[in-house]
Amino acid sequence: MGKQNRRKKRHGKSNNKKISFLENDETTSKSTAVDSGNPLINKIKHFDPKIRDSALSALAVTLFDSSSSNISSKNKNDNNNNKKINSDVIHAVFERIQIEKDSNVCSAALGCVLNYSLSSEANCRMIFNIAGLDPFTVLLNRALQSCIGNGATESPSSPPTLNKCDWEIGAMCLQIIATLIENSENDNSSFIQKCLLESNINNMLQIMKISIETLLVQSNSNSFSDSDSVVGDVLSNSCRILHSAIENNIPLSEKLLRITSCEGRSVTEFWDSILTNNSLPAKCRLHTCGIIISMRYLLSENNDQNESLNKCIVGFVLPTLKSYLAYHISISTALSHRMKEAYQKFCKEALDEEMEHVVEKSVKDKKESARMIARRQKETKSKRDEAKKNKAPSKKEFINSDDLDVQMDEGIDDVNANTDAEDGSRNDDSTDGTITKHNNFIEQTGGVDLKQVFDKATMAWENSILPLKLALEITTNLCADCHAEERYGDDDDGWNSDDEDAMEIVAQDMEMSSSNIIAAEASSCNLKENFLLESVVQSGIPENVVSMLTSLVSSLNLEPIPSTTTTDNGDEVDSMIQVGIEDVLSKVGMCLCNMITNLKTWRYTASETSSSSVNNNHPTIELWQLVCNSTKSAKDANCTKAVAGFTGVMVSLLRCDDRRDIILPILGNAYLNWMILLLNPLEKRNNIGGSKSNTKDGVVPVSEEQEEKEESLVNAVQMLGILCTQSHTLEVDEAVCKALLSTLQNNTESTTVMVWNEILSTLMDIYGMDDCYNDVFCKCLVLSLLEGSLLPQFRNYIKQLLHEQESTSQRSSGSISSGIANILRETALNVSRFIKYKR
């Protein structure tokens, strides 16, 4: 006790000056640590970097992990978030990011924040609302600190020795910033406003320049290493931040143009240098395309920089997009087979290794001496020789469970007999078992780490898919109607009452104002949109997207590997491949929807040919048949996301009068029956408007797959509605009417409130016309069903959803927005008016 007391006094004498707990001095004594009252925070701020590292690493895969059950913000309110992850803990983690000098500790802290921000939008909002915390500045400064002094030298003859850990820290910091921006609530949030500071813009551009120079020097010196991919991630994440932040952000667009065009450079010189450099990462170049397109749409028509941006888009952006909008099925198939083969080898070797360790443990548990092992092997050999003399058995006859255990024991005995004889009392805990097993595993496979081979194969396949998805997203935005939201925005105040007379007045006012807005803005945006959209057509990008569709659909028929083989993350390898392809197919569908709607001069959508001279070789019919066949293939492969996208394309084709007149003549009973089949997914029934006591917080969670099925059903209903509002036969009318009513009465899980809304609206459209088939309307008892059960159920469902929305302060996946609520109320009002009209 005396020594301990004296030691404490000696520490007190050596610490005359105040040492803050923020200083990362590994020699700091334990007495300098500040007790926060929270043991978790104490470990995060501990003087020993190993303890800090272990604490943060554990937090990253437990409390902060997106798959952890401890993070329950998806089912809870923001104010009732997990108590273990309070603002003090998050603040302490950001503190580590800001001041930590140990790379491992900083990486672990960043892993916590990254996992937490990826978990849900609610977690991102919690980070935004922490008092005294400026996450944007902390992360950006740390990223800049990691890049400065760790970049390239100007001399190509002496390529730099890059610190991979520092670049990884920079890449993680920038990835977190991008994630937080993409999950910010609105464009005016304080986090987005940080992007408007010129100092932050300059820091971001400085990081980009350092990364570009480093990659160019490495490329010129032909000295590529694993660090190059990390540097590429820093550059790509920097471009991703600007791409995400500039959306609908006119001030940022103007400042970014002004800063990049200083020092006598042209407006787009900096961005042109990125697009023309094929050695830079694909994601970097594609995000740059998105930045330029966003700036062009945000600038007013009389801006002097429009001409430069137009030249950049036509000369560099569109060719870059086109180069990445190409799916090579042979390359993708080779990469996927490579990934499967690598994983099968890894699984086989891992299984063999596990069996060897089981047998080794079994032999050790027997505690046999070397003499006993030799005697047993001799007896086994004599039995085998005697069996060979009597009969030459087949493999199936010879290898039974007992003999297999004996053979496996022999293999281990040969390796360990001498070791057991020399040291029978060896302690198993004297070495690191995990490291020893892994090293033995690599030695047995010829020095090749098969897990690393599988990871690299997976990364190669993902890197072939990710640029394709990003290019499709940018092209989809390029072909979109940039003023659609302004012309068709929701009115949040119009439908808050059940007074039908008042709602009718609001409806008339909205219709008049909508027509005025469309007329006023048509002339202002047409010039800019027509130039860009015509440039897209001339570039050949739409043809690339169509050709991709054929190749991608054929990729759905890739032979899957057995479902028992799983990756380390629990995902089947074949499922991973199919999900990636399905995601691309869905984006192809969205891109085609915008192209069909807005590219008026595209050969697939041009209305130059009259319907009387149409044949099966007409481009519109070719596209229709291609999309229909793709939808059937995707449905057979159970790709619900792709089906949702393709049915949307079909709706887009049928909505245009000229294209509809071309397509409808070829629609026979086969197409009609197939469209009706889209309404009948095999699912259990859903008690619409009934009790939901088995759900948490009164909110029904809606999975992503259910949303995709909902979209497919809505699209199918719209197609049937378009078909029956044109000239059609009584048989077609009756088949469609029965199918729509049956969908409401069967009421599966996918028959959500939006599907109900679409079916009710379609029924009103079909039978609200003067020349409708009233005989079918009466025969199917449509009026009595609407009045007796369907409308009351629909109203109860709306009330229930609105009650759930009011009872939860946080918007969850089961709640609805105010705009959707207004649409549902309007539909309910129209149905009641329709019933009065048809009586």
Side-chain angles (χ1 to χ4, degrees):
M1 293 296 293
K3 285 186 177 181
Q4 291 177 357
N5 290 334
R6 287 195 296 271
R7 184 175 300 169
K8 288 182 179 180
K9 292 179 182 179
R10 185 164 59 250
H11 273 292
K13 291 180 180 179
S14 62
N15 292 329
N16 290 328
K17 69 174 184 177
K18 293 182 180 180
I19 300 179
S20 171
F21 70 95
L22 300 181
E23 295 177 3
N24 182 32
D25 186 358
E26 296 184 8
T27 63
T28 304
S29 66
K30 187 176 180 179
S31 62
T32 60
V34 174
D35 187 0
S36 64
N38 187 326
L40 194 58
I41 296 177
N42 290 341
K43 289 185 178 180
I44 295 174
K45 296 181 178 181
H46 200 276
F47 75 99
D48 189 346
K50 293 183 179 179
I51 294 179
R52 296 197 300 271
D53 186 16
S54 60
L56 290 167
S57 299
L59 285 173
V61 296
T62 53
L63 296 181
F64 286 92
D65 187 14
S66 59
S67 61
S68 174
S69 59
N70 291 312
I71 295 182
S72 54
S73 58
K74 293 181 180 180
N75 297 325
K76 294 186 179 181
N77 300 342
D78 283 345
N79 298 330
N80 191 28
N81 199 9
N82 193 300
K83 295 181 180 179
K84 294 182 180 179
I85 308 180
N86 54 33
S87 58
D88 293 335
V89 176
I90 298 177
H91 201 288
V93 173
F94 269 95
E95 206 169 64
R96 282 294 102 201
I97 297 173
Q98 184 176 12
I99 64 175
E100 186 63 60
K101 296 180 181 178
D102 188 285
S103 298
N104 293 330
V105 177
C106 187
S107 296
L110 288 167
C112 292
V113 179
L114 182 58
N115 288 343
Y116 189 69
S117 61
L118 290 173
S119 301
S120 68
E121 294 182 8
N123 292 342
C124 294
R125 289 195 294 270
M126 184 175 181
I127 294 176
F128 297 147
N129 296 329
I130 295 178
L133 178 64
D134 184 1
F136 189 98
T137 304
V138 171
L139 294 168
L140 183 59
N141 289 343
R142 186 67 203 228
L144 184 62
Q145 176 186 345
S146 300
C147 297
I148 292 179
N150 193 26
T153 59
E154 297 181 358
S155 175
S157 60
S158 58
T161 303
L162 303 180
N163 188 331
K164 185 179 179 181
C165 292
D166 285 344
W167 282 102
E168 286 177 345
I169 289 174
M172 292 179 69
C173 288
L174 297 172
Q175 184 181 357
I176 295 170
I177 294 176
T179 302
L180 293 175
I181 290 176
E182 291 164 0
N183 288 281
S184 59
E185 291 182 342
N186 51 65
D187 300 330
N188 296 322
S189 66
S190 59
F191 195 82
I192 295 292
Q193 293 299 315
K194 290 289 182 180
C195 297
L196 298 178
L197 298 178
E198 290 198 15
S199 58
N200 290 336
I201 297 176
N202 288 324
N203 288 340
M204 192 68 62
L205 294 175
Q206 185 177 359
I207 292 174
M208 293 176 63
K209 292 174 182 177
I210 294 174
S211 303
I212 292 173
E213 291 173 359
T214 302
L215 289 174
L216 291 180
V217 171
Q218 293 290 86
S219 176
N220 294 334
S221 61
N222 295 323
S223 58
F224 291 99
S225 64
D226 293 337
S227 300
D228 295 336
S229 61
V230 183
V231 178
D233 290 339
V234 171
L235 179 58
S236 299
N237 288 333
S238 300
C239 296
R240 176 186 169 190
I241 290 172
L242 294 176
H243 186 194
S244 301
I246 203 172
E247 184 178 359
N248 299 325
N249 196 332
I250 296 177
L252 177 59
S253 175
E254 294 175 347
K255 288 186 178 182
L256 195 58
L257 275 175
R258 178 170 52 81
I259 293 174
T260 54
S261 61
C262 63
E263 299 177 0
R265 293 181 298 184
S266 65
V267 174
T268 61
E269 181 179 345
F270 174 72
W271 308 110
D272 294 348
S273 63
I274 296 177
L275 294 177
T276 55
N277 193 332
N278 294 328
S279 64
L280 297 181
K283 289 186 289 186
C284 160
R285 302 177 67 205
L286 288 170
H287 280 302
T288 301
C289 292
I291 292 171
I292 296 171
I293 292 171
S294 297
M295 288 191 295
R296 178 64 185 88
Y297 272 122
L298 290 174
L299 292 179
S300 60
E301 280 299 323
N302 56 359
N303 196 299
D304 297 335
Q305 299 169 337
N306 279 337
E307 184 177 355
S308 298
L309 289 174
N310 289 340
K311 290 181 179 179
C312 181
I313 290 175
V314 175
F316 301 108
V317 172
L318 295 180
T320 301
L321 287 175
K322 184 179 179 181
S323 66
Y324 288 108
L325 288 171
Y327 181 79
H328 305 286
I329 188 171
S330 58
I331 297 177
S332 179
T333 303
L335 291 173
S336 61
H337 283 313
R338 174 186 168 193
M339 181 170 62
K340 293 179 183 180
E341 182 181 357
Y343 185 71
Q344 288 172 344
K345 289 182 179 179
F346 168 71
C347 287
K348 182 178 181 300
E349 294 297 335
L351 181 61
D352 292 344
E353 181 195 15
E354 184 64 26
M355 293 177 64
E356 290 176 4
H357 286 296
V358 170
V359 175
E360 182 180 8
K361 185 177 182 300
S362 176
V363 172
K364 290 181 179 179
D365 290 342
K366 294 178 181 179
K367 297 182 179 179
E368 292 181 301
S369 63
R371 180 173 296 179
M372 292 295 295
I373 293 173
R375 182 180 300 174
R376 180 163 50 81
Q377 291 178 343
K378 185 177 180 180
E379 292 175 356
T380 303
K381 183 178 180 182
S382 63
K383 290 181 181 180
R384 188 185 301 121
D385 294 339
E386 184 178 354
K388 287 182 179 180
K389 291 179 182 179
N390 297 334
K391 182 182 178 181
S394 63
K395 290 185 178 180
K396 292 183 179 179
E397 293 174 339
F398 179 75
I399 300 179
N400 54 50
S401 59
D402 296 333
D403 293 334
L404 180 60
D405 292 338
V406 171
Q407 294 178 45
M408 294 174 65
D409 287 346
E410 289 178 0
I412 299 299
D413 293 339
D414 294 338
V415 177
N416 296 315
N418 294 333
T419 305
D420 291 339
E422 294 175 0
D423 187 11
S425 60
R426 184 180 59 184
N427 187 358
D428 292 338
D429 297 332
S430 60
T431 58
D432 187 347
T434 302
I435 297 176
T436 303
K437 290 179 182 180
H438 183 70
N439 292 339
N440 291 338
F441 177 39
I442 296 178
E443 290 176 3
Q444 293 170 6
T445 57
V448 179
D449 189 345
L450 294 180
K451 177 62 169 62
Q452 187 176 7
V453 172
F454 169 67
D455 290 340
K456 288 184 176 180
T458 304
M459 184 177 298
W461 185 85
E462 290 177 346
N463 287 339
S464 69
I465 293 294
L466 289 177
L468 189 58
K469 293 194 290 187
L470 182 55
L472 284 168
E473 291 175 1
I474 295 172
T475 305
T476 302
N477 294 334
L478 177 61
C479 297
D481 183 356
C482 63
H483 294 279
E485 293 183 1
E486 299 175 11
R487 292 198 291 266
Y488 308 105
D490 294 327
D491 190 329
D492 294 337
D493 301 325
W495 307 99
N496 293 330
S497 171
D498 291 331
D499 185 350
E500 294 187 2
D501 294 334
M503 293 173 71
E504 289 182 12
I505 295 174
V506 172
Q508 295 174 2
D509 294 340
M510 290 177 62
E511 184 176 356
M512 293 178 60
S513 61
S514 176
S515 59
N516 293 334
I517 292 175
I518 294 175
E521 293 190 348
S523 59
S524 63
C525 66
N526 278 346
L527 181 61
K528 175 165 50 178
E529 290 183 356
N530 288 344
F531 170 78
L532 294 177
L533 296 178
E534 180 63 26
S535 300
V536 172
V537 174
Q538 297 298 328
S539 68
I541 286 178
E543 278 68 21
N544 277 31
V545 176
V546 172
S547 63
M548 273 193 346
L549 181 57
T550 305
S551 301
L552 284 164
V553 171
S554 61
S555 298
L556 292 175
N557 300 321
L558 290 174
E559 181 180 356
I561 62 176
S563 59
T564 54
T565 58
T566 58
T567 64
D568 288 350
N569 295 326
D571 298 324
E572 297 180 4
V573 174
D574 183 67
S575 176
M576 182 193 309
I577 296 172
Q578 180 165 324
V579 167
I581 295 175
E582 182 180 4
D583 197 18
V584 177
L585 283 170
S586 173
K587 295 182 185 302
V588 169
M590 290 187 290
C591 188
L592 285 175
C593 283
N594 284 353
M595 288 180 174
I596 291 169
T597 304
N598 299 313
L599 300 184
K600 305 301 182 182
T601 59
W602 186 25
R603 71 183 186 93
Y604 287 107
T605 59
S607 57
E608 297 177 357
T609 306
S610 62
S611 58
S612 59
S613 60
V614 169
N615 53 46
N616 289 334
N617 294 326
H618 191 277
T620 299
I621 293 183
E622 288 180 4
L623 182 59
W624 170 265
Q625 293 175 340
L626 172 62
V627 176
C628 288
N629 294 333
S630 301
T631 307
K632 294 175 183 177
S633 299
K635 187 174 177 61
D636 293 339
N638 198 28
C639 296
T640 56
K641 194 171 186 179
V643 172
F646 294 154
T647 52
V649 177
M650 297 169 67
V651 172
S652 298
L653 284 169
L654 290 174
R655 274 178 176 165
C656 178
D657 294 339
D658 296 329
R659 292 188 290 274
R660 183 171 59 245
D661 294 339
I662 295 172
I663 295 172
L664 287 180
I666 71 169
L667 295 183
N669 290 331
Y671 276 108
L672 175 63
N673 294 332
W674 174 69
M675 290 180 185
I676 292 176
L677 284 177
L678 292 175
L679 297 175
N680 301 314
L682 298 177
E683 300 170 304
K684 63 182 180 180
R685 296 191 43 132
N686 178 36
N687 185 21
I688 183 170
S691 173
K692 296 181 176 61
S693 57
N694 59 335
T695 60
K696 287 188 176 182
D697 300 328
V699 176
V700 183
V702 179
S703 66
E704 184 178 354
E705 184 178 2
Q706 286 176 318
E707 292 178 352
E708 293 157 359
K709 290 181 179 179
E710 173 193 280
E711 184 179 354
S712 300
L713 283 173
V714 169
N715 292 334
V717 172
Q718 289 179 352
M719 284 189 285
L720 292 173
I722 294 172
L723 177 64
C724 289
T725 52
Q726 307 300 312
S727 177
H728 62 285
T729 64
L730 184 143
E731 291 76 12
V732 170
D733 192 274
E734 184 174 355
V736 171
C737 182
K738 289 181 178 179
L740 295 178
L741 293 175
S742 176
T743 301
L744 293 181
Q745 293 170 333
N746 291 337
N747 197 19
T748 62
E749 286 183 339
S750 294
T751 315
T752 61
V753 66
M754 295 308 299
V755 176
W756 272 68
N757 180 82
E758 194 63 40
I759 292 178
L760 293 175
S761 299
T762 300
L763 288 172
M764 290 186 289
D765 291 339
I766 296 174
Y767 298 107
M769 301 184 297
D770 295 335
D771 56 347
C772 67
Y773 290 100
N774 276 313
D775 293 341
V776 174
F777 184 81
C778 297
K779 180 181 178 180
C780 295
L781 304 176
V782 178
L783 183 61
S784 60
L785 287 174
L786 287 175
E787 189 173 10
S789 60
L790 296 181
L791 180 58
Q793 278 185 288
F794 186 59
R795 282 174 171 168
N796 289 336
Y797 199 12
I798 296 173
K799 290 180 180 179
Q800 180 179 337
L801 290 176
L802 294 176
H803 175 72
E804 291 169 356
Q805 185 182 32
E806 294 173 357
S807 62
T808 55
S809 59
Q810 171 190 345
R811 182 185 173 186
S812 66
S813 58
S815 62
I816 56 177
S817 67
S818 58
I820 294 178
N822 294 339
I823 294 174
L824 299 178
R825 285 171 172 157
E826 181 183 6
T827 301
L829 170 63
N830 290 335
V831 172
S832 65
R833 295 164 60 187
F834 178 76
I835 292 173
K836 295 177 182 178
Y837 168 74
K838 297 296 287 187
R839 280 176 182 170

